[in-house]
């Protein structure tokens, strides 16, 4: 019984198709100009059109205001909003109420002191993304290709579903699932040949490894 997969940072129709064909259940589209995976709203709208029913289209934003979220939610076929900045639990609740879409909140983990904050969001978010905390001074809050000590979230259970992220790749995702008990995993840089450039073979290998993991 393997894990459900989210492929994040998609910006090309070929790689969207590859992710769907490999069995990914979530596709992430990044709306953050500093990211090499950033897509325009217009481009994302076109990419989402052919995504089959049953595969969730996730809009990743970082401390986005209502004006940006208004455009994304009205101009694309997004199914879920991923808040990947320093949004408060109150902001999570506001986004849920304003748009009527499920909200996933990303939480960066570096040490034991970071784990406690998960509880602050577990009661308000629809899902949690447990990611590696970005290094100090990093331009990106995620997608940096670094992992955290997975033992910090080993066999943890929260009131809402959670997804493991941070430094995952085809060659370590099975071990990450085994150590943490994660039912869902997220990958971005781990299936790229260069920053922002996805690799169909790595996408397929990652999904196969995650689906086969115990």
């Amino acid at each position: 019984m393997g894990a459900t997969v989210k492929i994040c940072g998609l910006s090309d129709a070929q790689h969207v198709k590859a992710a769907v064909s490999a069995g990914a259940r979530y596709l992430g589209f990044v709306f953050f100009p500093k990211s090499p995976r950033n897509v325009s709203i217009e481009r994302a709208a076109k990419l989402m059109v052919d995504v089959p029913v049953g595969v969730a289209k996730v809009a990743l934003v970082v401390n986005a205001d209502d004006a940006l979220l208004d455009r994304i939610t009205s101009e694309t076929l997004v199914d879920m909003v991923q808040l990947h900045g320093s949004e408060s639990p109150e902001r999570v609740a506001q986004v849920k109420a304003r748009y009527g879409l499920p909200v996933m909140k990303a939480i960066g983990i570096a040490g034991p002191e970071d784990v406690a904050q998960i509880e602050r969001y577990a009661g308000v978010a629809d899902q949690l993304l447990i990611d590696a905390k970005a290094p100090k001074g990093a331009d990106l809050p995620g997608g940096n290709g670094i992992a955290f000590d997975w033992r910090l979230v080993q066999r943890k259970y929260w009131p809402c579903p959670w997804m493991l992220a941070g430094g995952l790749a085809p060659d370590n995702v099975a071990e990450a699932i085994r150590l943490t008990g994660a039912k869902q995993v997220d990958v971005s840089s781990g299936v790229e040949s260069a920053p922002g450039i996805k690799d169909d073979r790595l996408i397929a290998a990652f999904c196969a490894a995650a689906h086969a993991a115990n």
Side-chain angles (χ1 to χ4, degrees):
M1 164 131 183
T4 301
V5 173
K6 174 172 174 273
I7 305 292
C8 197
L10 291 160
S11 58
D12 180 274
Q14 174 188 330
H15 301 135
V16 168
K17 184 177 179 180
V20 170
S21 297
R25 305 303 293 175
Y26 299 84
L27 306 182
F29 300 89
V30 176
F31 300 94
F32 184 54
K34 289 185 178 180
S35 172
R37 303 163 190 98
N38 181 60
V39 291
S40 67
I41 293 174
E42 294 76 14
R43 181 163 181 76
K46 293 177 182 177
L47 293 173
M48 291 183 189
V49 167
D50 293 326
V51 175
V53 173
V55 178
K57 302 172 291 294
V58 183
L60 186 159
V61 296
V62 180
N63 300 323
D65 59 16
D66 286 349
L68 176 58
L69 288 172
D70 286 350
R71 285 199 61 204
I72 292 170
T73 55
S74 65
E75 296 177 29
T76 77
L77 298 172
V78 63
D79 299 307
M80 176 181 285
V81 176
Q82 178 178 329
L83 302 179
H84 213 107
S86 56
E87 300 90 358
S88 66
E90 293 72 25
R91 178 58 174 160
V92 173
Q94 288 172 359
V95 172
K96 285 180 61 174
R98 183 177 177 90
Y99 302 104
L101 291 171
V103 174
M104 178 187 294
K105 178 67 181 89
I107 298 173
I109 303 293
E113 68 280 1
D114 298 313
V115 177
Q117 69 173 316
I118 294 172
E119 298 290 347
R120 296 178 57 223
Y121 293 93
V124 63
D126 295 286
Q127 295 211 40
L128 301 172
L129 182 89
I130 310 301
D131 199 0
K133 182 183 280 189
K136 282 189 178 179
D139 286 334
L140 305 179
N144 293 296
I146 58 173
F148 64 95
D149 184 350
W150 295 322
R151 291 171 296 182
L152 292 171
V153 295
Q154 191 169 23
R155 305 291 163 182
K156 296 284 187 182
Y157 299 95
W158 293 287
C160 65
W162 65 281
M163 189 175 287
L164 182 68
L168 298 179
D171 61 356
N172 69 4
V173 65
E175 177 71 358
I177 292 167
R178 186 186 69 79
L179 277 175
T180 63
K183 300 288 193 295
Q184 303 186 110
V185 290
D186 172 283
V187 67
S188 185
S189 62
V191 291
E192 291 180 345
S193 56
I197 308 299
K198 293 292 186 282
D199 184 302
D200 291 355
R201 292 171 298 175
L202 292 176
I203 289 172
F206 184 92
C207 289
H211 293 155
N214 267 317

